[in-house]
Amino acid sequence: MTATDPALTALAQSWCALSLLHGRIEAHIERALQARHDLSAREYSLLDVLSRQHDGDGGHLQMKQVADAVVLSQSATTRLVTRLEDRGLLERYLCPTDRRGIYTNVTEEGLALLEAARPTNDAALREALDEAAKNPELAPLVRVVETLKAPVPA
């Protein structure tokens, strides 16, 4: 394959379309969450991921798992956790069985903000997808996103 190979060019164009769709959705959600809840899309995502933890086996996420879930580096995730902890939305504590481990939980205030912000996030996502569906290059991707089903936990 060469750089001018039509298959490579089509693949690159598809990747650009996917990147464009992601960027538009994220920007739309970001504006809505900031305006209504003083919350960034990354902060919302972090609160959402951490709110799904449980006390059972494998229920608490390690910082690397959290970083992977919110698509940030571990250091950026740590800074984000610190920022939300400073706002009283998260709290950290030592793992009771391994004093080297640190868990992060969403506070009651954080859960309340997450629940208040969830309808905003969902509406902004729907609006962004509806707007993107009007673009012939993005419409097929929107259809794919709309047909995806969330994985069922084992």
Side-chain angles (χ1 to χ4, degrees):
M1 285 188 166
T2 65
T4 57
D5 186 318
L8 258 178
T9 302
L11 186 61
Q13 288 173 337
S14 296
W15 169 245
C16 285
L18 181 59
S19 182
L20 177 63
L21 177 63
H22 176 269
R24 286 185 179 182
I25 290 170
E26 189 170 52
H28 191 80
I29 291 171
E30 180 81 24
R31 285 190 301 273
L33 288 171
Q34 281 290 347
R36 295 184 186 104
H37 306 283
D38 191 28
L39 200 59
S40 74
R42 296 280 186 193
E43 290 168 339
Y44 174 88
S45 180
L46 180 64
L47 289 172
D48 184 53
V49 165
L50 292 175
S51 75
R52 297 173 194 275
Q53 294 184 121
H54 57 83
D55 288 331
D57 288 341
H60 277 88
L61 301 174
Q62 297 173 351
M63 198 56 79
K64 180 179 180 350
Q65 293 170 301
V66 174
D68 289 345
V70 296
V71 194
L72 289 173
S73 68
Q74 281 187 264
S75 61
T77 301
T78 299
R79 287 190 302 274
L80 184 59
V81 165
T82 299
R83 200 164 55 242
L84 292 177
E85 186 178 34
D86 290 347
R87 288 177 59 187
L89 303 174
L90 296 178
E91 60 189 0
R92 290 185 240 203
Y93 64 96
L94 291 176
C95 171
T97 58
D98 179 0
R99 305 231 0 122
R100 295 170 297 170
I102 298 174
Y103 289 150
T104 304
N105 274 337
V106 183
T107 64
E108 289 300 317
E109 184 180 347
L111 289 172
L113 179 58
L114 177 63
E115 289 310 307
R118 193 175 308 280
T120 301
N121 180 79
D122 294 350
L125 173 59
R126 179 76 267 157
E127 290 165 4
L129 287 170
D130 289 348
E131 188 60 33
K134 297 174 188 175
N135 180 325
E137 292 177 1
L138 301 180
L141 294 172
V142 171
R143 287 192 296 276
V144 168
V145 169
E146 291 173 336
T147 60
L148 291 175
K149 300 288 185 219
V152 177

